[in-house]
Amino acid sequence: MSYNNILSTTTEGVATITINRPSKLNALNRETINELHKALKKADEDRAAKVIIVTGSGEKAFVAGADISEFADFSVSEGGKLAAEGQAKLFDFIANLDTPVIAAVNGFALGGGLELAMAAHFRIASDNAKMGLPEVSLGVIPGYGGTQRLPQLVGKGRAMELIMTAGMIDANQALQYGLVNHVVAQENLLEFTGVIAGKIMRNSPMAIAAAIRAINAGFEDGENGFDAEVMEFGKCFGTADFQEGTQAFLNKRKPVFTGK
């Protein structure tokens, strides 16, 4: 599948999807969102892809925001539709994928870029990364899940301050806040992220998908995360991966998981 704004490769179980609009600092427009959806869906359905890494091209930016020129003259209804469609097609879609998604944040992750990173299951940042949600400086608010995911990750007070001030934090402050899991040198970002992906790939894809669903349930209105955990735990007992994992443990050998 060919794309205009992204690059997608799969090597040794890792699908790497790179937003490739360097002249626009990888800003998200509708075409890029559509292409990301297609590439992520394809990777999730590919049995050879065990982990997905999302990153930006170049060293300056992961994604420096949404492409403002696309919606500067939108009406109320058009603005609402933009947010609803974007959340469904990309941001919520990523958060609920069965395949683990890691955001490798290189450089600026602002507005929709930070929202994209927050939709991933976790984040690793380069030491030159800068993050923020500056939407209120444009007379609007984050519309791709930022007002919900940022408080979940860093707490209500810190999220309120970041959003209200339209400020940016650097990678080390993001690490302190719990917004990212690791900070590494820019030149080592993808290599380090690949090492984490390798650790994930040693484990059962079925169990990992079940864990993602159970964890997400605890953050959804009307869902009881403990009930979801019990249900997903029970379902694991019916999988070939459970049989393989337990037999491998009992026989003191490494498991060979099939994702079934």
Side-chain angles (χ1 to χ4, degrees), residues 59-251:
E59 298 182 357
K60 289 185 178 180
F62 172 72
V63 172
D67 196 331
I68 296 167
S69 63
E70 278 200 336
F71 58 81
D73 59 352
F74 272 17
S75 66
V76 171
S77 61
E78 287 172 323
K81 183 179 180 183
L82 178 75
E85 289 182 350
Q87 287 196 35
K89 184 169 289 185
L90 183 58
F91 300 86
D92 290 346
F93 182 75
I94 289 175
N96 293 302
L97 280 182
D98 283 346
T99 306
V101 181
I102 308 171
V105 181
N106 53 313
F108 290 107
L110 304 175
L114 181 54
E115 289 172 306
L116 177 62
M118 291 192 295
H121 297 127
F122 60 93
R123 290 141 296 283
I124 298 170
S126 61
D127 53 7
N128 68 326
K130 298 283 179 62
M131 303 173 207
L133 295 174
E135 284 87 346
V136 298
S137 69
L138 301 174
V140 70
I141 69 168
Y144 288 144
T147 65
Q148 305 305 301
R149 290 193 175 96
L150 188 62
Q152 290 171 1
L153 290 165
V154 308
K156 182 179 177 181
R158 282 174 172 161
M160 286 281 196
E161 180 181 352
L162 277 170
I163 291 171
M164 289 180 187
T165 61
M168 287 190 295
I169 58 174
D170 62 22
N172 288 324
Q173 195 166 8
L175 180 64
Q176 179 189 346
Y177 281 7
L179 183 54
V180 302
N181 290 30
H182 305 276
V183 175
V184 298
Q186 166 78 46
E187 61 269 23
N188 298 330
L189 178 61
L190 288 181
E191 180 183 359
F192 182 88
T193 307
V195 170
I196 301 294
K199 292 179 180 180
I200 293 171
M201 288 191 290
R202 297 172 192 166
N203 303 308
S204 160
M206 295 296 293
I208 287 170
I212 290 170
R213 291 190 294 269
I215 292 167
N216 283 344
F219 291 93
E220 294 175 7
D221 288 340
E223 291 283 342
N224 185 307
F226 291 98
D227 289 345
E229 181 183 280
V230 168
M231 180 185 70
E232 295 292 349
F233 177 80
K235 286 164 61 178
C236 288
F237 283 72
T239 66
D241 274 6
F242 172 74
Q243 296 298 323
E244 170 63 14
T246 53
Q247 289 303 308
F249 176 82
L250 294 172
N251 291 299

